[in-house]
Amino acid sequence: MNSSDASVATPGPGLNRAAFFDCSSQVKLRISGADSFRFLNGQITNDLRKATASSTIQGSILSTKGKLSAHVFISIDSDGVFLLDADGELREELPARLERYIIADDVQIEDVTDQFSILHFVGEPPPAVAAPARTVASDRFGLSGWDLWCNRAPDEELRQPFSGRYIFCDAICAEIFRIERGIPRWGRELTNEIIPVEANLEATSIDYEKGCYIGQEVISRMKMSGQTNKRLCGLVSLSNAPLEAETRLTGETNPGKDAGWITSATTSARLGSEIALGYVKRGFNETGTRLLAGGIPVQVTPLPFV
């Protein structure tokens, strides 16, 4: 995708048009078979009964130790088959992870990544489209939105019908926007070493009342204790110096004390600030706590920024 001025294309207050994003790089799986509901419900942290033909749910797929294998979006197609999408980096890893637990189940997993494009729209009402495209309600940025699934097409052909009514938010714009919204991303905030509660995913992705799933014991234990070793937080540069991903955080009064690390950083034109997402350890992650990021003073702030 071509770059554009993120401060212009970023959706938010003051724009007279809604925005849309190209999520076609997501890996897309079609999961079918007589046992597909029971199987998939036993793999995700959310209750699969919430997924419908008109509404997407989020869920996390975990290891037995409760750590992330994937964060996914699930809906049902017109044939009653589950459609699942996740970050494109997981195209090989995710199907292999799921297939590992298919023992004698009637479950088929088909990679349909190259068959479909996904456009995501923020705002109301949903985009007006013609069949065979399908539109489902979806929350990808902590805001009400819509996913449009359609046959794969070249970028310009795909986006052209919407360019007059919506602002297109390209890859640079989308990265700034997701950081402003405090949304974790695979490969940055979400990795195989993170437990979903640490990434603030419980409200959107965890149903504590559902039946068993892989990794549930760890998640339930964390809920009972009410504690995490670290938590995804917002960070603001107090000197307005740029922040960088992978920078370690230390205590301001005790610079030798490790307090966590930055996962993503950007310049927010809307806020007029240098901001970042990062995992901040217990004892340092209260709102207003001042830390050092490679010598740059930063302050812990609630998410989302905007």
Side-chain angles (χ1 to χ4, degrees):
M1 290 180 283
N2 295 327
S3 300
S4 68
D5 185 345
S7 65
V8 173
T10 301
L15 291 182
N16 56 14
R17 285 182 290 165
F20 75 106
F21 306 77
D22 192 339
C23 301
S24 301
S25 63
Q26 296 279 96
V27 55
K28 309 168 196 73
L29 304 178
R30 193 171 187 268
I31 302 178
S32 60
D35 299 322
S36 59
F37 177 87
R38 179 183 58 79
F39 167 77
L40 189 54
N41 201 43
Q43 302 298 315
I44 65 171
T45 54
N46 212 338
D47 188 339
L48 191 57
R49 291 176 296 182
K50 299 174 186 176
T52 69
S54 60
S55 183
T56 296
I57 66 166
Q58 296 183 46
S60 294
I61 296 175
L62 309 179
S63 70
T64 55
K65 295 182 178 180
K67 295 183 178 182
L68 284 162
S69 297
H71 184 66
V72 300
F73 295 80
I74 305 173
S75 63
I76 300 175
D77 71 10
S78 57
D79 296 323
V81 172
F82 295 105
L83 286 174
L84 177 154
D85 72 90
D87 191 278
E89 289 186 15
L90 294 169
R91 187 167 185 179
E92 302 297 329
E93 184 178 335
L94 179 55
R97 158 64 179 79
L98 291 170
E99 289 169 357
R100 192 180 313 138
Y101 288 91
I102 299 175
I103 308 302
D105 304 289
D106 178 7
V107 176
Q108 293 80 48
I109 299 176
E110 179 187 3
D111 186 332
V112 294
T113 301
D114 296 332
Q115 297 180 33
F116 296 102
S117 294
I118 301 177
L119 297 180
H120 179 72
F121 296 78
V122 172
E124 299 283 353
V129 294
R134 57 186 292 268
T135 303
V136 291
S138 180
D139 175 353
R140 292 182 184 263
F141 291 100
L143 296 166
S144 296
W146 307 88
D147 285 348
L148 173 66
W149 285 65
C150 52
N151 292 332
R152 202 68 185 253
D155 291 348
E156 290 306 315
E157 179 182 330
L158 186 66
R159 301 168 191 157
Q160 192 277 330
F162 308 102
S163 59
R165 291 172 289 157
Y166 301 88
I167 293 176
F168 175 59
C169 192
D170 71 5
I172 295 174
C173 162
E175 179 69 356
I176 294 170
F177 187 53
R178 77 151 189 100
I179 294 173
E180 291 177 335
R181 295 293 303 160
I183 303 300
R185 172 185 171 185
W186 191 263
R188 298 290 186 88
E189 292 72 35
L190 305 181
T191 72
N192 298 129
E193 295 301 317
I194 296 298
I195 297 171
V197 177
E198 298 172 333
N200 303 327
L201 292 176
E202 61 258 70
T204 56
S205 308
I206 298 175
D207 189 321
Y208 288 105
E209 305 300 322
K210 69 164 286 185
C212 296
Y213 57 86
I214 294 169
Q216 183 183 33
E217 183 179 347
V218 175
I219 302 301
S220 297
R221 190 163 59 242
M222 291 182 73
K223 178 176 173 56
M224 291 179 63
S225 70
Q227 293 185 334
T228 60
N229 291 328
K230 57 185 176 294
R231 177 74 72 168
L232 184 63
C233 297
L235 299 162
V236 175
S237 172
L238 295 177
S239 66
N240 219 30
L243 303 173
E244 294 185 8
E246 301 183 10
T247 302
R248 299 302 303 191
L249 301 169
T250 57
E252 185 182 51
T253 58
N254 184 0
K257 186 72 171 178
D258 184 62
W261 69 98
I262 291 175
T263 52
S264 300
T266 193
T267 301
S268 171
R270 283 204 287 173
L271 296 172
S273 301
E274 299 290 335
I275 61 173
L277 300 178
Y279 283 104
V280 186
K281 295 183 178 181
R282 189 169 62 207
F284 294 94
N285 56 22
E286 292 295 323
T287 297
T289 300
R290 293 168 63 108
L291 303 170
L292 294 175
I296 299 171
V298 298
Q299 183 168 294
V300 176
T301 188
L303 293 172
F305 292 98
V306 176

